[in-house]
Amino acid sequence: MTQNHRPQPSRRAVLGGATVAALAVAAGTGAGTASAAAATPEASWPTEFPLPDGFLPEGITIGRKPYAYMGSRANGAILRTDLRTGEGEVIFAGGTGLVSVGLKLDDDGLLYVAGSTGIARIHDSRTGELVTTHQLTEATGHFINDVILLGDRAWFTDSRDAVLHGVPRGRGGAVRALPLTGDWVQTPDVNNANGIVGTPDGRGLIVVKSSPGELYNVNLKTGYATRITLVGAETVVNGDGLVRIGRTLYVVQNRLNLVTVFDLDAKATTATLRRTITDPRFDVPTTAARFGNRLYLVNARFTSPQLPDTTFNGVAVPL
C-alpha cells in the first residue's frame, strides 16, 4: 500500500549550500595518510560531532553537499548535520511508532528512509517534510533495514525475510518484491539481509548477511543470490552498513568496532581483504557514508543503555 501525502515533487537540486565558517579542528585518528588528508578541503573540519541525547542513531547518508542525514530508532526523527561545523538540526521530529534506520539521499533532494516495521518513507531533505509512505510488508515479523538507490528504484532490505523491495524513484510505478534465491538460505530468528550497495557494473546488488557474516551478489532480474567468496577473511559477521567506491567495498562490522575493506573482482564474485579500519572512538558503529577522503560513521552504542539521556555521536576517519 502506498500513501501519497502530497504530489511527488519534480527532480531538483539538493540543498542550497549556506556559507558557513569551518571550525579548525585537529584531524581524527584512523587509517590513511596524514599527507593525503591535509590536501583535502575537509582537513580542518570536525572529525567528531554530537547527536541529541537519546537519539538512538543507526543510519547515515551524505549527498553531494557537506551535510549528513541520520535517522533515529527512538521515534523516527531525522537529523541534518553540517560536516563543516559539526552543528546539526532536526528536520523531521518523528513521532510515536516511527523508526528511521537506513537512509539514502537522491540527487533530486528526496531522502529514502527504511522504517523498520514494514515501512519505507520518502522525505524532502530540505524541509524534512514527509512526501510518501510505502507499506512494503506487514508490520510484524519484518525489519526493513537499509536502502540503496540504483537505476529507477530504491532497493530496501528486510532483515527478517528473504526479499528485497524496489520502490520507484520518481512519479510512477509499482513497488517490486524480489525474493532472494540461489545460494541464499534464510536463518530464522536473527538479522539476515542488512547493508546493501550496487555492484561496480551497476547491474546487480551486493547484500551483507549479518548472521553468519556473508556477502552476496544479487541478480536484479531474477533475485538469484551468489555468495561472494571471501579471501583473507573467514566471515564479515555483524556486517551492517556497506559503502562501495569503485571496486573497493567497506563493510561496517558493528559490534566488532571494525570496518573491513575488500577489493572486489570485476564481476563482484570474490572479495579480497585489503585492510581493516578501527578507531578508539568507535562504539558499535552501524553504518557509514563517504564524503571526500573521509568515511563518516554513527555510533549506535548497542552495548550501552539505550535511554533518553544516553549520549551519541558521529565520527569521521580517513579513507
Side-chain angles (χ1 to χ4, degrees):
M1 179 182 70
T2 301
Q3 179 182 358
N4 290 308
H5 298 267
R6 65 175 175 83
Q8 191 83 348
S10 59
R11 302 184 78 83
R12 57 196 180 274
V14 57
L15 290 177
T19 302
V20 182
L23 295 179
V25 179
T29 60
T33 64
S35 59
T40 62
E42 65 269 19
S44 64
W45 297 358
T47 60
E48 186 172 345
F49 49 88
L51 306 181
D53 290 354
F55 192 71
L56 308 190
E58 183 159 341
I60 182 172
T61 185
I62 303 171
R64 295 179 178 177
K65 301 289 185 178
Y67 297 92
Y69 295 81
M70 291 151 284
S72 168
R73 290 176 285 111
N75 61 0
I78 298 172
L79 179 76
R80 179 173 60 211
T81 292
D82 189 328
L83 300 179
R84 298 165 296 184
T85 66
E87 296 179 358
E89 63 172 330
V90 174
I91 62 169
F92 177 68
T96 302
L98 292 182
V99 177
S100 294
V101 278
L103 311 90
K104 284 297 180 294
L105 179 64
D106 208 340
D107 289 340
D108 60 6
L110 294 180
L111 189 64
Y112 292 77
V113 181
S116 181
T117 56
I119 290 174
R121 305 194 315 272
I122 303 175
H123 291 260
D124 186 318
S125 66
R126 295 177 296 183
T127 65
E129 181 181 356
L130 179 61
V131 176
T132 306
T133 298
H134 295 277
Q135 188 72 46
L136 304 180
T137 67
E138 296 178 352
T140 58
H142 296 272
F143 180 15
I144 306 303
N145 196 339
D146 209 350
V147 56
I148 190 65
L149 308 179
L150 183 65
D152 61 355
R153 293 183 183 273
W155 288 97
F156 291 81
T157 58
D158 185 343
S159 293
R160 295 291 171 142
D161 196 6
V163 179
L164 303 180
H165 299 273
V167 171
R169 298 163 67 185
R171 293 182 178 274
V175 174
R176 179 188 175 195
L178 183 68
L180 297 173
T181 62
D183 295 338
W184 189 275
V185 177
Q186 188 76 4
T187 305
D189 303 322
V190 297
N191 285 340
N192 287 255
N194 199 328
I196 183 171
V197 293
T199 55
D201 62 9
R203 298 177 182 176
L205 297 165
I206 296 174
V207 177
V208 62
K209 189 178 182 186
S210 298
S211 300
E214 300 165 342
L215 294 171
Y216 288 84
N217 184 324
V218 179
N219 186 305
L220 271 176
K221 294 181 179 180
T222 65
Y224 193 98
T226 301
R227 184 175 172 182
I228 296 173
T229 300
L230 301 181
V231 178
E234 292 185 4
T235 72
V236 285
V237 66
N238 297 131
D240 202 326
L242 299 180
V243 174
R244 183 187 58 77
I245 304 172
R247 282 165 52 180
T248 302
L249 182 68
Y250 297 80
V251 182
V252 182
Q253 293 179 258
N254 53 36
R255 292 178 185 265
L256 300 185
N257 289 316
L258 192 68
V259 179
T260 312
V261 187
F262 292 94
D263 289 324
L264 297 169
D265 67 342
K267 295 184 178 180
T269 57
T270 299
T272 302
L273 179 66
R274 176 196 292 181
R275 61 190 176 93
T276 59
I277 301 172
T278 190
D279 191 286
R281 298 169 301 158
F282 285 177
D283 194 350
V284 194
T286 44
T287 55
R290 181 257 186 113
F291 191 85
N293 286 335
R294 288 182 175 182
L295 200 63
Y296 288 85
L297 306 97
V298 288
N299 283 316
R301 305 194 68 193
F302 288 149
T303 56
S304 300
Q306 306 284 284
L307 302 174
D309 60 352
T310 301
T311 59
F312 293 94
N313 68 347
V315 298
V317 294
L319 286 172

